[in-house]
């Protein structure tokens, strides 16, 4: 006798998916065209048709922790061919946003980061922290003389805020989310018959993680897409510029605290060159993303708050970073110092909220792709 499944529709969950950008989910009539045309979907138990019916019925347990939701690269080949105008890519993107929120710790922060009503409050938190810090230490003014950031926002303050954020907060929050996600993903895949192995052996899993990294670094999955193939360039630029900027931050930290070489550094310093090239690549990459999303070719999503909040945050980060650098070189201190303040507000926002925003997909999708190989769903 076939296994029975007790269907418990969660209408609140359906409503939340609609609110997160999956408003077309009700249009699907289960023709399965999307699963056939998806270039990434495997032959056995393909996606996204089965996820569409799960979303329509509000079957949360079939979607949260479902590795296939993360294997989708949101290329929208499926939306191009869907005869009903249902947009499976948008629906899976909404499920991913909901999942990030579900795995977030603390959960209230996860909820407000993806809620458009709270964007001002989220930016106000770092503003308030900085104003109190600078005000109580006598730094809340535009210093006289040549521009030196240490006179306005001492490097010690920057490090006291960002080192714990990057080295404790982000790993802790991601660690909790990853642990919850891995357990759910394994349980879901075993229950659904998509995992060929029923054990979850983490040291073994790490080997599959390593063999997945070249696929991600080369964006090979995204390149299989047809409709929005040009999006891979923007993704590559953004991904490598973030890697470049993280490398630069680490190298400057070593230069300052271990080698005792304080800035400002020359523009021909190799690390500075890497920083500038990464910033330019990030700017170009994010502009390409915006242009792709605004095209609306009928097959390209305009995106939800979940997508746009990150794009706008990164754009703001690059613009304020670039203007801070240019006004410093021009010695325009009345523009440079306030611009630096705004830049640090945005750096705080992206650093603190990274485990709750769209950027977290880098972590969850990487794990799902590795698990797909570990579980025998696709070869390594
Ligand atoms: S989303 Fe569209 S293509 Fe996919 S099963 Fe539903 S109606 Fe068919
Ligand atoms: S958006 Fe692309 S990867 Fe995702 S289900 Fe549709 S065709 Fe497949």
């Amino acid at each position: 006798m076939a296994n029975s499944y007790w269907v418990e529709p969660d209408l609140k969950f359906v409503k939340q998916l609609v609110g997160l950008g999956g408003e077309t989910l009700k249009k699907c009539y289960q023709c399965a065209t999307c699963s056939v045309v998806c270039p990434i979907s495997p032959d056995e138990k393909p996606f996204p048709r089965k996820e569409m019916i799960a979303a329509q019925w509000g079957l949360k347990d079939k979607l949260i922790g479902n590795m296939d939701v993360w294997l989708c690269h949101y290329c929208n080949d499926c939306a191009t061919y869907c005869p009903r105008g249902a947009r499976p890519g948008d629906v899976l993107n909404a499920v991913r946003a909901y999942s990030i929120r579900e795995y977030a710790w603390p959960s209230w922060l996860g909820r407000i980061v993806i809620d458009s009503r709270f964007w001002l409050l989220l930016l106000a938190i770092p503003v308030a922290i900085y104003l109190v810090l600078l005000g109580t230490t006598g730094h809340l003014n535009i210093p006289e003389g040549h521009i030196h950031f240490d006179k306005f926002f001492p490097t010690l303050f920057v490090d006291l805020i960002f080192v714990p954020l990057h080295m404790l907060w982000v790993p802790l929050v991601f660690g909790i989310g990853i642990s919850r996600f891995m357990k759910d993903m394994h349980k879901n895949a075993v229950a659904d018959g998509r995992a060929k192995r029923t054990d979850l052996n983490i040291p073994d899993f790490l080997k599959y993680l390593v063999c997945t990294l070249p696929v991600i670094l080369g964006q090979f999955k995204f390149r299989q897409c047809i409709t929005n193939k040009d999006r891979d360039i923007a993704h590559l630029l953004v991904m490598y510029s973030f890697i470049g900027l993280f490398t630069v931050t680490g190298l400057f930290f070593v230069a300052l605290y271990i080698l005792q070489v304080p800035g400002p550094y020359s523009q021909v310093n190799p690390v500075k060159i890497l920083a500038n090239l990464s910033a330019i690549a990030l700017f170009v990459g994010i502009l390409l993303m915006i242009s792709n999303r605004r095209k609306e070719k009928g097959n390209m999503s305009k995106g939800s708050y979940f997508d746009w909040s990150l794009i706008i945050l990164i754009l703001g980060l690059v613009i304020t970073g670039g203007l801070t650098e240019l006004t410093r070189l021009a010695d325009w201190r009345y523009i440079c110092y306030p611009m630096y303040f705004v830049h640090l507000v945005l750096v705080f926002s992206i650093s603190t909220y990274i485990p709750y925003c769209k950027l977290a997909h880098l972590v969850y999708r990487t794990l799902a792709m590795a698990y797909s190989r570990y579980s025998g769903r696709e070869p390594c």
Side-chain angles (χ1 to χ4, degrees), residues 183-359:
K183 279 186 207 141
D184 274 5
M185 183 162 58
H186 181 61
K187 199 171 129 200
N188 187 297
V190 171
D192 208 28
R194 276 172 295 147
K196 290 192 172 55
R197 55 191 294 184
T198 51
D199 65 314
L200 184 55
N201 181 318
I202 297 301
D204 203 17
F205 172 79
L206 293 178
K207 289 184 216 154
Y208 290 87
L209 189 60
V210 171
C211 92
T212 306
L213 290 181
V215 182
I216 293 166
L217 292 175
Q219 295 273 297
F220 296 132
K221 286 288 177 189
F222 214 113
R223 288 177 180 196
Q224 291 175 29
C225 298
I226 298 161
T227 310
N228 292 298
K229 206 173 175 49
D230 49 347
R231 281 175 69 191
D232 69 340
I233 299 167
H235 269 89
L236 275 172
L237 283 171
V238 171
M239 183 175 72
Y240 280 104
S241 55
F242 265 113
I243 293 173
L245 290 171
F246 279 126
T247 308
V248 166
T249 307
L251 289 173
F252 280 145
F253 186 81
V254 171
L256 184 61
Y257 288 106
I258 297 175
L259 303 177
Q260 306 277 313
V261 185
Y265 305 100
S266 152
Q267 292 298 322
V268 290
N269 179 310
V271 184
K272 193 84 183 179
I273 291 174
L274 176 62
N276 288 335
L277 287 178
S278 300
I280 292 168
L282 188 56
F283 188 55
V284 174
I286 214 74
L287 287 184
L288 279 175
M289 275 189 182
I290 293 172
S291 138
N292 283 336
R293 285 191 180 278
R294 286 181 58 82
K295 275 182 205 162
E296 185 49 49
K297 296 176 277 190
N299 48 34
M300 179 69 217
S301 298
K302 282 190 168 169
S304 58
Y305 174 75
F306 180 60
D307 304 289
W308 280 107
S309 54
L310 178 65
I311 288 175
I312 290 169
L313 186 57
I314 295 177
L315 185 65
L317 200 67
V318 185
I319 290 175
T320 54
L323 287 177
T324 302
E325 180 72 354
L326 291 174
T327 51
R328 181 183 73 81
L329 294 173
D331 218 9
W332 293 348
R333 60 198 173 96
Y334 284 102
I335 300 177
C336 182
Y337 288 123
M339 195 57 67
Y340 183 52
F341 184 93
V342 176
H343 183 64
L344 287 180
V345 167
L346 299 181
V347 175
F348 181 99
S349 302
I350 207 156
S351 305
T352 311
Y353 310 137
I354 198 174
Y356 316 99
C357 72
K358 176 143 187 179
L359 217 49

Side-chain angles (χ1 to χ4, degrees), residues 28-88:
C28 171
Y29 62 1
Q30 290 291 297
C31 70
T33 305
C34 51
S35 293
V36 175
V37 299
C38 174
I40 294 172
S41 187
D43 294 339
E44 208 176 309
K45 298 194 183 234
F47 61 87
R49 184 206 57 82
K50 62 181 172 14
E51 283 70 24
M52 289 300 282
I53 196 159
Q56 284 182 333
W57 278 84
L59 305 181
K60 193 169 149 185
D61 59 325
K62 292 270 182 199
L63 293 171
I64 305 299
N66 178 341
M67 77 169 121
D68 290 359
V69 166
W70 293 94
L71 298 184
C72 162
H73 277 54
Y74 204 7
C75 67
N76 277 326
D77 280 6
C78 51
T80 308
Y81 293 98
C82 173
R84 290 279 296 149
R87 305 175 67 89

